């Protein structure tokens, strides 16, 4: 709040011009404070929205991590099974799996070419 020095232009009192200036400055200060208050409120709302979004994304990341862990476990079990099969049957298993993979690939390729 702006306060005058107490000394007027003529004698010891404040003049009407000084009072009007002080009143205008007070109104300007109030307007600036209201503007600042609305900007602080807007910033607060944006910050709350950002916090909510971050919390939601963290929950989704946790769910994805759990899903990836489950897929990793399934892959590990599959690889152990394949390793066990190859070690127990040797080259015969490798030839059989390769033949099945090539046959499946060729079958899919032919089906795609026929439909196109």
């Amino acid at each position: 709040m702006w306060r005058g020095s107490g000394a007027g232009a003529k004698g010891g009192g404040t003049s009407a011009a000084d009072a009007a200036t002080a009143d205008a400055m007070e109104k300007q200060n109030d307007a600036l404070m209201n503007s600042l208050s609305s900007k602080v409120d807007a910033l607060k709302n944006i910050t709350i929205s950002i916090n909510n979004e971050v919390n939601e994304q963290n929950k989704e990341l946790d769910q994805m991590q759990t899903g990836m862990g489950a897929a990793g476990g399934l892959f590990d079990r599959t690889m152990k099974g394949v390793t066990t099969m190859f070690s127990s049957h040797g080259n015969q298993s490798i030839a059989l799996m390769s033949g099945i993979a090539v046959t499946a690939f060729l079958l899919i390729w032919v089906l795609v070419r026929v439909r196109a």
Side-chain angles (χ1 to χ4, degrees):
M1 185 161 122
W2 185 83
R3 303 260 186 223
S5 64
K10 300 178 183 174
T14 58
S15 69
D18 288 341
T21 302
D23 190 41
M25 293 181 92
E26 189 70 31
K27 287 180 182 177
Q28 184 181 14
N29 281 344
D30 289 342
L32 290 172
M33 285 180 58
N34 288 338
S35 173
L36 181 60
S37 176
S38 66
K39 289 176 183 177
V40 167
D41 288 340
L43 185 59
K44 178 183 173 186
N45 291 336
I46 290 170
T47 305
I48 289 171
S49 296
I50 290 172
N51 182 45
N52 292 340
E53 182 67 25
V54 166
N55 288 336
E56 287 176 22
Q57 289 183 7
N58 282 339
K59 287 178 186 176
E60 289 177 13
L61 286 172
D62 288 341
Q63 291 172 350
M64 287 175 62
Q65 184 176 8
T66 302
M68 290 296 207
L74 179 63
F75 181 72
D76 287 341
R77 288 191 305 268
T78 302
M79 288 306 297
K80 285 179 185 174
V82 169
T83 303
T84 302
M85 183 181 73
F86 282 145
S87 66
S88 66
H89 297 291
N91 290 335
Q92 183 182 16
S93 296
I94 295 173
L96 179 63
M97 290 295 286
S98 298
I100 290 172
V102 169
T103 304
F105 174 75
L106 290 175
L107 181 65
I108 292 171
W109 183 73
V110 168
L111 288 175
V112 169
R113 297 292 274 182
V114 168
R115 291 187 182 207

